[in-house]
Amino acid sequence: MRLTTALLGAASLLVAGQALAQTELTIATVNNGDMIRMQTLTEDFAQLNPDVTLQWVTLEENVLRQKVTTDIATKGGQYDILTIGTYEVPIWAKNGWLVALDNLGADYDVDDLLPAIRAGLSVDGKLYAAPFYGESSYVMYRKDLMEKAGLTMPDKPTWDQVKEAADKMTDRANGINGICLRGKAGWGENMAFLTTLANSFGARWFDENWKPQFDSPEWHDAIQFYVDLMTADGPNGASANGFNENLTLFQQGKCGMWIDATVAGSFVTNPEQSTVADKVGFALAPDKGLGKRANWLWAWSLAVPAGSQKVDAAEKFIAWATSKHYLELVAEKEGWANVPPGTRTSLYQNADYTSAAPFAEMTLQSIQAADPKNPTVKPVPYTGVQFVAIPEFQGLGDTVGQIFSAALAGQSSVDDALSQAQDVATRTMTKAGYIK
């Protein structure tokens, strides 16, 4: 009897130990506002999944890209969940670096994902990353400053109209810059904006035979316009400003306009964060009259690296963080205007959301208008709106971004910068075998 009791006690302890066993997930993510908010809400996930604990590695955008790229390419295994974007997913999936997300749960409703966003995260019909938020880009502007300037922002502005408005809104004496635009070097920082600007001017990274096109008049016109606009109406030190820096400037009332990610809509209209929350209007990204607007297509998404030993737990977290339930959780805690945008069709059919978010309709229009297969005026051999979906682009885009950031800082002329970009792009594409 004593032996039996002892054995039963040992068995009970074993079962209890198994019940208490924890799977720790290390999540690499970007230091954007929506991701920071997600970390504050994970108690809900913990209650639903008491056997999973979370360890966060939160990094600035450029640093995140470097670290997760190095880790997955070398099979380092540092992270169980990666925050990556529309550029990486198809390339890494084809390399066999990502796990297909086949087990997100019966109630996940993958068909509810916006078609453009889902397509960018899928290969051969399989989803390899789940979108946490999706975005395009648009114009955010101060309605009060536009009125003071005697102007009206159209829903579909041209670059000439943006330039006119920036000139009239600039008020150096009162610390107001007519416009704030990305200048920080990086393929996902300044080159995201500059590539879409170039698209609208009729420029392209490569012609149909992969020959670099930075020596074209279209690129010259686009970059010269950008440098002149920022010199006349942009903030000091703009070559160091990326998304987060410009967001802060706009929220502090120091920008008349800001052309950037649609995800910023909730932050610039949040009275707890923005001093101009009740003064913000929205318009589509500008065009040059050539049939293409300067708006991009992107999704910050969660993925599982191949070879992971924690796939089941990782998919549980990804399903939670990108679910309808999570959107409702944010709405309950923070209000509907602050839910992660741009991922689900049902969100834009929800009257609670569309009435609370003045940027909702413009966000959806911008996402739907982006065309990754035909990003610019002339034919191209690549896919991608603000990037070129080839492995070489990450390094090349960073280098070209540094060149153009230096031109914005006045360290080189536009002509010299374009010549440098043409040279480095030609060397890169020759070495990679795209051209001879």
mmCIF file of all heavy atoms in Angstrom, residues 357-399:
data_model
loop_
_atom_site.group_PDB
_atom_site.id
_atom_site.type_symbol
_atom_site.label_atom_id
_atom_site.label_comp_id
_atom_site.label_asym_id
_atom_site.label_seq_id
_atom_site.Cartn_x
_atom_site.Cartn_y
_atom_site.Cartn_z
ATOM 1 N N ALA A 357 -12.375 56.209 -36.897
ATOM 2 C CA ALA A 357 -11.082 56.423 -37.545
ATOM 3 C C ALA A 357 -11.256 57.283 -38.795
ATOM 4 O O ALA A 357 -11.639 56.769 -39.854
ATOM 5 C CB ALA A 357 -10.456 55.076 -37.911
ATOM 6 N N PRO A 358 -10.957 58.570 -38.732
ATOM 7 C CA PRO A 358 -11.153 59.442 -39.892
ATOM 8 C C PRO A 358 -10.246 59.113 -41.068
ATOM 9 O O PRO A 358 -10.476 59.594 -42.182
ATOM 10 C CB PRO A 358 -10.837 60.835 -39.331
ATOM 11 C CG PRO A 358 -9.973 60.590 -38.133
ATOM 12 C CD PRO A 358 -10.459 59.298 -37.551
ATOM 13 N N PHE A 359 -9.251 58.293 -40.828
ATOM 14 C CA PHE A 359 -8.286 57.909 -41.852
ATOM 15 C C PHE A 359 -8.611 56.562 -42.492
ATOM 16 O O PHE A 359 -7.911 56.112 -43.394
ATOM 17 C CB PHE A 359 -6.890 57.811 -41.224
ATOM 18 C CG PHE A 359 -6.895 57.064 -39.919
ATOM 19 C CD1 PHE A 359 -6.826 55.684 -39.886
ATOM 20 C CD2 PHE A 359 -6.997 57.747 -38.714
ATOM 21 C CE1 PHE A 359 -6.864 54.991 -38.698
ATOM 22 C CE2 PHE A 359 -7.026 57.061 -37.498
ATOM 23 C CZ PHE A 359 -6.961 55.679 -37.493
ATOM 24 N N ALA A 360 -9.659 55.900 -42.037
ATOM 25 C CA ALA A 360 -9.928 54.522 -42.449
ATOM 26 C C ALA A 360 -10.132 54.398 -43.953
ATOM 27 O O ALA A 360 -9.499 53.555 -44.615
ATOM 28 C CB ALA A 360 -11.138 53.971 -41.700
ATOM 29 N N GLU A 361 -11.020 55.196 -44.515
ATOM 30 C CA GLU A 361 -11.339 55.073 -45.935
ATOM 31 C C GLU A 361 -10.132 55.406 -46.800
ATOM 32 O O GLU A 361 -9.855 54.719 -47.790
ATOM 33 C CB GLU A 361 -12.509 55.992 -46.296
ATOM 34 C CG GLU A 361 -12.912 55.939 -47.760
ATOM 35 C CD GLU A 361 -13.318 54.549 -48.235
ATOM 36 O OE1 GLU A 361 -13.845 53.774 -47.420
ATOM 37 O OE2 GLU A 361 -13.095 54.241 -49.422
ATOM 38 N N MET A 362 -9.372 56.428 -46.432
ATOM 39 C CA MET A 362 -8.187 56.795 -47.206
ATOM 40 C C MET A 362 -7.117 55.707 -47.119
ATOM 41 O O MET A 362 -6.394 55.449 -48.080
ATOM 42 C CB MET A 362 -7.636 58.134 -46.722
ATOM 43 C CG MET A 362 -6.751 58.854 -47.727
ATOM 44 S SD MET A 362 -7.609 59.328 -49.252
ATOM 45 C CE MET A 362 -8.627 60.688 -48.679
ATOM 46 N N THR A 363 -7.013 55.042 -45.970
ATOM 47 C CA THR A 363 -6.079 53.925 -45.824
ATOM 48 C C THR A 363 -6.443 52.788 -46.767
ATOM 49 O O THR A 363 -5.584 52.255 -47.487
ATOM 50 C CB THR A 363 -6.076 53.417 -44.369
ATOM 51 O OG1 THR A 363 -5.581 54.435 -43.513
ATOM 52 C CG2 THR A 363 -5.217 52.172 -44.231
ATOM 53 N N LEU A 364 -7.719 52.408 -46.769
ATOM 54 C CA LEU A 364 -8.158 51.307 -47.629
ATOM 55 C C LEU A 364 -7.963 51.654 -49.095
ATOM 56 O O LEU A 364 -7.475 50.820 -49.877
ATOM 57 C CB LEU A 364 -9.625 50.982 -47.346
ATOM 58 C CG LEU A 364 -10.207 49.775 -48.098
ATOM 59 C CD1 LEU A 364 -9.451 48.503 -47.736
ATOM 60 C CD2 LEU A 364 -11.696 49.621 -47.783
ATOM 61 N N GLN A 365 -8.318 52.864 -49.495
ATOM 62 C CA GLN A 365 -8.123 53.280 -50.891
ATOM 63 C C GLN A 365 -6.647 53.205 -51.288
ATOM 64 O O GLN A 365 -6.313 52.776 -52.393
ATOM 65 C CB GLN A 365 -8.631 54.711 -51.094
ATOM 66 C CG GLN A 365 -10.131 54.869 -51.138
ATOM 67 C CD GLN A 365 -10.540 56.292 -51.468
ATOM 68 O OE1 GLN A 365 -9.872 56.984 -52.241
ATOM 69 N NE2 GLN A 365 -11.626 56.747 -50.871
ATOM 70 N N SER A 366 -5.779 53.632 -50.382
ATOM 71 C CA SER A 366 -4.346 53.647 -50.687
ATOM 72 C C SER A 366 -3.797 52.233 -50.833
ATOM 73 O O SER A 366 -3.015 51.948 -51.750
ATOM 74 C CB SER A 366 -3.596 54.397 -49.583
ATOM 75 O OG SER A 366 -4.027 55.736 -49.494
ATOM 76 N N ILE A 367 -4.200 51.328 -49.936
ATOM 77 C CA ILE A 367 -3.756 49.937 -50.032
ATOM 78 C C ILE A 367 -4.236 49.311 -51.331
ATOM 79 O O ILE A 367 -3.478 48.625 -52.035
ATOM 80 C CB ILE A 367 -4.257 49.137 -48.812
ATOM 81 C CG1 ILE A 367 -3.494 49.556 -47.552
ATOM 82 C CG2 ILE A 367 -4.107 47.636 -49.037
ATOM 83 C CD1 ILE A 367 -4.016 48.949 -46.271
ATOM 84 N N GLN A 368 -5.487 49.525 -51.657
ATOM 85 C CA GLN A 368 -6.058 48.918 -52.856
ATOM 86 C C GLN A 368 -5.479 49.499 -54.145
ATOM 87 O O GLN A 368 -5.475 48.830 -55.177
ATOM 88 C CB GLN A 368 -7.578 49.075 -52.836
ATOM 89 C CG GLN A 368 -8.262 48.256 -51.746
ATOM 90 C CD GLN A 368 -9.755 48.513 -51.649
ATOM 91 O OE1 GLN A 368 -10.241 49.585 -51.999
ATOM 92 N NE2 GLN A 368 -10.503 47.520 -51.162
ATOM 93 N N ALA A 369 -4.979 50.728 -54.091
ATOM 94 C CA ALA A 369 -4.448 51.375 -55.294
ATOM 95 C C ALA A 369 -3.025 50.931 -55.636
ATOM 96 O O ALA A 369 -2.586 51.081 -56.779
ATOM 97 C CB ALA A 369 -4.479 52.900 -55.129
ATOM 98 N N ALA A 370 -2.305 50.407 -54.643
ATOM 99 C CA ALA A 370 -0.914 50.001 -54.888
ATOM 100 C C ALA A 370 -0.872 48.754 -55.766
ATOM 101 O O ALA A 370 -1.653 47.828 -55.581
ATOM 102 C CB ALA A 370 -0.211 49.735 -53.564
ATOM 103 N N ASP A 371 0.057 48.755 -56.717
ATOM 104 C CA ASP A 371 0.151 47.651 -57.675
ATOM 105 C C ASP A 371 1.588 47.135 -57.729
ATOM 106 O O ASP A 371 2.416 47.649 -58.487
ATOM 107 C CB ASP A 371 -0.298 48.132 -59.060
ATOM 108 C CG ASP A 371 -0.350 47.008 -60.081
ATOM 109 O OD1 ASP A 371 0.029 45.867 -59.744
ATOM 110 O OD2 ASP A 371 -0.764 47.272 -61.236
ATOM 111 N N PRO A 372 1.934 46.124 -56.919
ATOM 112 C CA PRO A 372 3.316 45.637 -56.864
ATOM 113 C C PRO A 372 3.840 45.092 -58.187
ATOM 114 O O PRO A 372 5.053 45.065 -58.404
ATOM 115 C CB PRO A 372 3.254 44.523 -55.814
ATOM 116 C CG PRO A 372 2.034 44.813 -55.010
ATOM 117 C CD PRO A 372 1.060 45.417 -55.964
ATOM 118 N N LYS A 373 2.948 44.632 -59.074
ATOM 119 C CA LYS A 373 3.398 44.070 -60.347
ATOM 120 C C LYS A 373 3.639 45.141 -61.409
ATOM 121 O O LYS A 373 4.348 44.892 -62.388
ATOM 122 C CB LYS A 373 2.382 43.046 -60.848
ATOM 123 C CG LYS A 373 2.278 41.814 -59.948
ATOM 124 C CD LYS A 373 1.315 40.782 -60.518
ATOM 125 C CE LYS A 373 1.263 39.551 -59.621
ATOM 126 N NZ LYS A 373 0.306 38.526 -60.129
ATOM 127 N N ASN A 374 3.041 46.299 -61.216
ATOM 128 C CA ASN A 374 3.229 47.422 -62.149
ATOM 129 C C ASN A 374 3.440 48.696 -61.345
ATOM 130 O O ASN A 374 2.595 49.592 -61.332
ATOM 131 C CB ASN A 374 2.001 47.563 -63.057
ATOM 132 C CG ASN A 374 1.725 46.319 -63.882
ATOM 133 O OD1 ASN A 374 2.405 46.045 -64.859
ATOM 134 N ND2 ASN A 374 0.721 45.560 -63.464
ATOM 135 N N PRO A 375 4.592 48.808 -60.683
ATOM 136 C CA PRO A 375 4.761 49.882 -59.704
ATOM 137 C C PRO A 375 5.023 51.262 -60.295
ATOM 138 O O PRO A 375 4.795 52.264 -59.617
ATOM 139 C CB PRO A 375 5.964 49.415 -58.893
ATOM 140 C CG PRO A 375 6.758 48.579 -59.846
ATOM 141 C CD PRO A 375 5.738 47.891 -60.694
ATOM 142 N N THR A 376 5.487 51.312 -61.529
ATOM 143 C CA THR A 376 5.850 52.600 -62.098
ATOM 144 C C THR A 376 5.252 52.748 -63.489
ATOM 145 O O THR A 376 4.473 51.898 -63.939
ATOM 146 C CB THR A 376 7.376 52.800 -62.088
ATOM 147 O OG1 THR A 376 7.695 54.129 -62.505
ATOM 148 C CG2 THR A 376 8.082 51.792 -62.961
ATOM 149 N N VAL A 377 5.598 53.833 -64.155
ATOM 150 C CA VAL A 377 4.953 54.158 -65.438
ATOM 151 C C VAL A 377 5.408 53.214 -66.550
ATOM 152 O O VAL A 377 4.601 52.737 -67.349
ATOM 153 C CB VAL A 377 5.250 55.628 -65.816
ATOM 154 C CG1 VAL A 377 4.671 55.957 -67.190
ATOM 155 C CG2 VAL A 377 4.686 56.570 -64.755
ATOM 156 N N LYS A 378 6.698 52.905 -66.560
ATOM 157 C CA LYS A 378 7.272 52.052 -67.591
ATOM 158 C C LYS A 378 7.341 50.594 -67.115
ATOM 159 O O LYS A 378 7.309 50.324 -65.915
ATOM 160 C CB LYS A 378 8.668 52.546 -67.959
ATOM 161 C CG LYS A 378 8.700 53.958 -68.543
ATOM 162 C CD LYS A 378 10.125 54.409 -68.811
ATOM 163 C CE LYS A 378 10.171 55.832 -69.357
ATOM 164 N NZ LYS A 378 11.558 56.294 -69.567
ATOM 165 N N PRO A 379 7.452 49.651 -68.041
ATOM 166 C CA PRO A 379 7.542 48.235 -67.646
ATOM 167 C C PRO A 379 8.795 47.946 -66.825
ATOM 168 O O PRO A 379 9.845 48.564 -67.041
ATOM 169 C CB PRO A 379 7.595 47.495 -68.994
ATOM 170 C CG PRO A 379 7.053 48.462 -69.993
ATOM 171 C CD PRO A 379 7.425 49.824 -69.513
ATOM 172 N N VAL A 380 8.677 47.028 -65.883
ATOM 173 C CA VAL A 380 9.816 46.620 -65.063
ATOM 174 C C VAL A 380 9.826 45.095 -64.942
ATOM 175 O O VAL A 380 8.785 44.452 -65.056
ATOM 176 C CB VAL A 380 9.767 47.253 -63.651
ATOM 177 C CG1 VAL A 380 9.907 48.758 -63.722
ATOM 178 C CG2 VAL A 380 8.479 46.867 -62.926
ATOM 179 N N PRO A 381 11.005 44.515 -64.682
ATOM 180 C CA PRO A 381 11.094 43.056 -64.550
ATOM 181 C C PRO A 381 10.908 42.571 -63.120
ATOM 182 O O PRO A 381 11.033 41.379 -62.857
ATOM 183 C CB PRO A 381 12.532 42.779 -65.022
ATOM 184 C CG PRO A 381 13.293 43.989 -64.577
ATOM 185 C CD PRO A 381 12.342 45.152 -64.705
ATOM 186 N N TYR A 382 10.606 43.480 -62.218
ATOM 187 C CA TYR A 382 10.545 43.130 -60.802
ATOM 188 C C TYR A 382 9.164 43.391 -60.217
ATOM 189 O O TYR A 382 8.332 44.090 -60.793
ATOM 190 C CB TYR A 382 11.586 43.917 -60.009
ATOM 191 C CG TYR A 382 11.546 45.422 -60.173
ATOM 192 C CD1 TYR A 382 10.676 46.227 -59.418
ATOM 193 C CD2 TYR A 382 12.388 46.064 -61.086
ATOM 194 C CE1 TYR A 382 10.640 47.599 -59.569
ATOM 195 C CE2 TYR A 382 12.363 47.448 -61.244
ATOM 196 C CZ TYR A 382 11.492 48.215 -60.480
ATOM 197 O OH TYR A 382 11.465 49.588 -60.638
ATOM 198 N N THR A 383 8.942 42.791 -59.035
ATOM 199 C CA THR A 383 7.739 43.024 -58.240
ATOM 200 C C THR A 383 8.119 43.856 -57.026
ATOM 201 O O THR A 383 9.199 43.698 -56.472
ATOM 202 C CB THR A 383 7.140 41.681 -57.784
ATOM 203 O OG1 THR A 383 6.802 40.904 -58.931
ATOM 204 C CG2 THR A 383 5.889 41.893 -56.951
ATOM 205 N N GLY A 384 7.202 44.724 -56.606
ATOM 206 C CA GLY A 384 7.442 45.546 -55.423
ATOM 207 C C GLY A 384 7.206 47.005 -55.728
ATOM 208 O O GLY A 384 7.635 47.498 -56.780
ATOM 209 N N VAL A 385 6.546 47.703 -54.812
ATOM 210 C CA VAL A 385 6.240 49.119 -55.028
ATOM 211 C C VAL A 385 7.365 49.995 -54.500
ATOM 212 O O VAL A 385 7.957 50.770 -55.254
ATOM 213 C CB VAL A 385 4.908 49.504 -54.352
ATOM 214 C CG1 VAL A 385 4.566 50.969 -54.641
ATOM 215 C CG2 VAL A 385 3.776 48.610 -54.842
ATOM 216 N N GLN A 386 7.689 49.861 -53.200
ATOM 217 C CA GLN A 386 8.754 50.688 -52.613
ATOM 218 C C GLN A 386 10.054 49.905 -52.449
ATOM 219 O O GLN A 386 10.993 50.379 -51.840
ATOM 220 C CB GLN A 386 8.304 51.281 -51.277
ATOM 221 C CG GLN A 386 8.356 50.333 -50.090
ATOM 222 C CD GLN A 386 7.126 49.445 -49.980
ATOM 223 O OE1 GLN A 386 6.456 49.132 -50.951
ATOM 224 N NE2 GLN A 386 6.823 49.025 -48.769
ATOM 225 N N PHE A 387 10.085 48.725 -53.004
ATOM 226 C CA PHE A 387 11.289 47.901 -52.990
ATOM 227 C C PHE A 387 11.303 47.041 -54.247
ATOM 228 O O PHE A 387 10.304 46.953 -54.969
ATOM 229 C CB PHE A 387 11.347 47.016 -51.743
ATOM 230 C CG PHE A 387 10.149 46.107 -51.586
ATOM 231 C CD1 PHE A 387 10.055 44.909 -52.274
ATOM 232 C CD2 PHE A 387 9.111 46.446 -50.733
ATOM 233 C CE1 PHE A 387 8.952 44.068 -52.146
ATOM 234 C CE2 PHE A 387 8.008 45.617 -50.582
ATOM 235 C CZ PHE A 387 7.930 44.432 -51.296
ATOM 236 N N VAL A 388 12.431 46.421 -54.493
ATOM 237 C CA VAL A 388 12.583 45.478 -55.602
ATOM 238 C C VAL A 388 12.747 44.095 -54.984
ATOM 239 O O VAL A 388 13.671 43.872 -54.201
ATOM 240 C CB VAL A 388 13.804 45.828 -56.476
ATOM 241 C CG1 VAL A 388 13.981 44.807 -57.596
ATOM 242 C CG2 VAL A 388 13.662 47.232 -57.052
ATOM 243 N N ALA A 389 11.855 43.190 -55.304
ATOM 244 C CA ALA A 389 11.806 41.895 -54.618
ATOM 245 C C ALA A 389 12.854 40.920 -55.140
ATOM 246 O O ALA A 389 12.548 39.875 -55.718
ATOM 247 C CB ALA A 389 10.413 41.288 -54.730
ATOM 248 N N ILE A 390 14.122 41.283 -54.931
ATOM 249 C CA ILE A 390 15.245 40.395 -55.219
ATOM 250 C C ILE A 390 16.154 40.404 -53.992
ATOM 251 O O ILE A 390 16.197 41.395 -53.254
ATOM 252 C CB ILE A 390 16.035 40.818 -56.475
ATOM 253 C CG1 ILE A 390 16.549 42.260 -56.343
ATOM 254 C CG2 ILE A 390 15.164 40.685 -57.724
ATOM 255 C CD1 ILE A 390 17.458 42.712 -57.475
ATOM 256 N N PRO A 391 16.883 39.313 -53.729
ATOM 257 C CA PRO A 391 17.713 39.262 -52.521
ATOM 258 C C PRO A 391 18.746 40.379 -52.434
ATOM 259 O O PRO A 391 19.067 40.846 -51.335
ATOM 260 C CB PRO A 391 18.385 37.883 -52.622
ATOM 261 C CG PRO A 391 17.468 37.072 -53.475
ATOM 262 C CD PRO A 391 16.872 38.034 -54.465
ATOM 263 N N GLU A 392 19.257 40.811 -53.567
ATOM 264 C CA GLU A 392 20.312 41.821 -53.579
ATOM 265 C C GLU A 392 19.824 43.200 -53.153
ATOM 266 O O GLU A 392 20.629 44.087 -52.841
ATOM 267 C CB GLU A 392 20.936 41.921 -54.985
ATOM 268 C CG GLU A 392 21.677 40.685 -55.436
ATOM 269 C CD GLU A 392 20.766 39.551 -55.907
ATOM 270 O OE1 GLU A 392 19.550 39.809 -56.121
ATOM 271 O OE2 GLU A 392 21.251 38.406 -56.046
ATOM 272 N N PHE A 393 18.506 43.394 -53.147
ATOM 273 C CA PHE A 393 18.003 44.740 -52.901
ATOM 274 C C PHE A 393 18.283 45.227 -51.487
ATOM 275 O O PHE A 393 18.487 46.431 -51.273
ATOM 276 C CB PHE A 393 16.494 44.818 -53.174
ATOM 277 C CG PHE A 393 15.935 46.199 -52.979
ATOM 278 C CD1 PHE A 393 16.138 47.194 -53.924
ATOM 279 C CD2 PHE A 393 15.222 46.515 -51.832
ATOM 280 C CE1 PHE A 393 15.645 48.471 -53.737
ATOM 281 C CE2 PHE A 393 14.716 47.788 -51.633
ATOM 282 C CZ PHE A 393 14.928 48.768 -52.594
ATOM 283 N N GLN A 394 18.294 44.340 -50.513
ATOM 284 C CA GLN A 394 18.493 44.782 -49.136
ATOM 285 C C GLN A 394 19.806 45.548 -48.990
ATOM 286 O O GLN A 394 19.835 46.659 -48.452
ATOM 287 C CB GLN A 394 18.447 43.599 -48.182
ATOM 288 C CG GLN A 394 18.531 43.997 -46.718
ATOM 289 C CD GLN A 394 18.072 42.901 -45.776
ATOM 290 O OE1 GLN A 394 17.554 41.881 -46.189
ATOM 291 N NE2 GLN A 394 18.261 43.102 -44.487
ATOM 292 N N GLY A 395 20.894 44.980 -49.474
ATOM 293 C CA GLY A 395 22.179 45.660 -49.402
ATOM 294 C C GLY A 395 22.262 46.851 -50.337
ATOM 295 O O GLY A 395 22.752 47.924 -49.962
ATOM 296 N N LEU A 396 21.757 46.664 -51.556
ATOM 297 C CA LEU A 396 21.802 47.743 -52.537
ATOM 298 C C LEU A 396 20.945 48.922 -52.092
ATOM 299 O O LEU A 396 21.355 50.085 -52.191
ATOM 300 C CB LEU A 396 21.333 47.225 -53.892
ATOM 301 C CG LEU A 396 21.246 48.257 -55.028
ATOM 302 C CD1 LEU A 396 22.595 48.905 -55.284
ATOM 303 C CD2 LEU A 396 20.703 47.603 -56.295
ATOM 304 N N GLY A 397 19.750 48.631 -51.593
ATOM 305 C CA GLY A 397 18.861 49.695 -51.148
ATOM 306 C C GLY A 397 19.442 50.488 -49.995
ATOM 307 O O GLY A 397 19.289 51.717 -49.930
ATOM 308 N N ASP A 398 20.119 49.802 -49.074
ATOM 309 C CA ASP A 398 20.763 50.504 -47.959
ATOM 310 C C ASP A 398 21.859 51.437 -48.468
ATOM 311 O O ASP A 398 21.996 52.577 -48.008
ATOM 312 C CB ASP A 398 21.361 49.498 -46.979
ATOM 313 C CG ASP A 398 20.319 48.891 -46.051
ATOM 314 O OD1 ASP A 398 19.195 49.420 -45.983
ATOM 315 O OD2 ASP A 398 20.638 47.873 -45.400
ATOM 316 N N THR A 399 22.663 50.945 -49.414
ATOM 317 C CA THR A 399 23.759 51.757 -49.934
ATOM 318 C C THR A 399 23.246 52.977 -50.691
ATOM 319 O O THR A 399 23.728 54.097 -50.485
ATOM 320 C CB THR A 399 24.658 50.911 -50.855
ATOM 321 O OG1 THR A 399 25.177 49.800 -50.126
ATOM 322 C CG2 THR A 399 25.819 51.733 -51.390
#
